[in-house]
Amino acid sequence: GLPDRALVGRGEARFTQPSAESLVLTLDLPNSVVLPFGVPRDARLPLNLWEEPWNAVTIFPSGQEGGPPVFRPGVGPTTSSGVERLSLNAHPPNGGRTALDFHIRVPEEPCELVSAVGIRDGAKTGGVGFEVAVNGTVLWRKALPGPDGWHAVEVDLSAYRGREVLLSLITDSLGDYSFDWAAWAEPRLVPRGRAAAR
């Protein structure tokens, strides 16, 4: 059937249905659009994302999304520059990206995503890119050349208070994917301004 709602990176989306077989979606441009499936989980703070269900997808260089990644994402300890942290590990595919998508309803309370990104010690990588996106719109981006410790991530989600969103943690191979042992350390949603990422 036809979708009943759309999630957009900014502003609001409006559906009109000129016929039984078609829909028209009106929104501000430039923008991004996600057509959600299922029901979002209500986020209650603090929310440990590594304990929440996610959907992992491959994003090809063309931007087209595919099935599950070749390297299955998982939760476990990761050490970067000798410091071990519990992490969501998401090795990207060759020439593409891996997205861990969380379908949630952001709390009414102002909140932020806090985490740290790193590459596991011993990786002979050419570098990995990291992105945080909401409804397909990138809010934060960083590229790391190799395993050089943990780098703090803080992304304000206050603009999405009370809204259904698709929150994506994305790793990018930046070309060759050899040894791209990418990790998100303890990603969580917390009240805005009440926690500092390590």
Side-chain angles (χ1 to χ4, degrees):
L2 296 174
D4 61 356
R5 66 202 192 283
L7 309 180
V8 294
R10 64 180 189 84
E12 298 293 329
R14 296 170 301 284
F15 273 127
T16 55
Q17 189 168 3
S19 73
E21 296 84 28
S22 65
L23 287 174
V24 174
L25 178 62
T26 306
L27 67 157
D28 296 327
L29 294 177
N31 214 329
S32 57
V33 178
V34 173
L35 299 177
F37 296 93
V39 177
R41 292 174 61 89
D42 287 329
R44 291 184 174 79
L45 304 180
L47 181 72
N48 297 330
L49 291 178
W50 66 89
E51 296 174 341
E52 292 295 308
W54 70 75
N55 184 44
V57 298
T58 301
I59 305 172
F60 298 104
S62 65
Q64 182 179 11
E65 286 192 6
V70 173
F71 301 100
R72 185 176 174 195
V75 178
T78 301
T79 302
S80 187
S81 288
V83 177
E84 183 179 282
R85 297 184 68 175
L86 179 64
S87 302
L88 272 172
N89 299 295
H91 192 305
N94 200 26
R97 299 180 292 161
T98 290
L100 304 180
D101 294 333
F102 299 85
H103 187 190
I104 62 172
R105 186 174 304 282
V106 178
E108 291 289 347
E109 180 182 0
C111 67
E112 61 187 330
L113 167 73
V114 295
S115 182
V117 294
I119 300 173
R120 194 174 84 204
D121 286 345
K124 297 179 180 10
T125 178
V128 178
F130 296 84
E131 296 176 352
V132 175
V134 173
N135 298 342
T137 295
V138 175
L139 302 180
W140 178 91
R141 177 181 283 132
K142 186 170 187 70
L144 299 181
D148 63 349
W150 296 103
H151 299 262
V153 178
E154 295 181 15
V155 180
D156 185 3
L157 299 177
S158 300
Y160 300 93
R161 287 184 292 179
R163 290 177 56 185
E164 176 185 0
V165 302
L166 193 71
L167 172 64
S168 303
L169 305 182
I170 301 167
T171 54
D172 188 331
S173 66
L174 303 178
D176 181 63
Y177 70 152
S178 300
F179 299 96
D180 283 354
W181 299 335
W184 297 85
E186 296 128 20
R188 60 203 185 279
L189 301 188
V190 298
R192 178 84 177 125
R194 291 198 199 158
R198 291 183 279 170

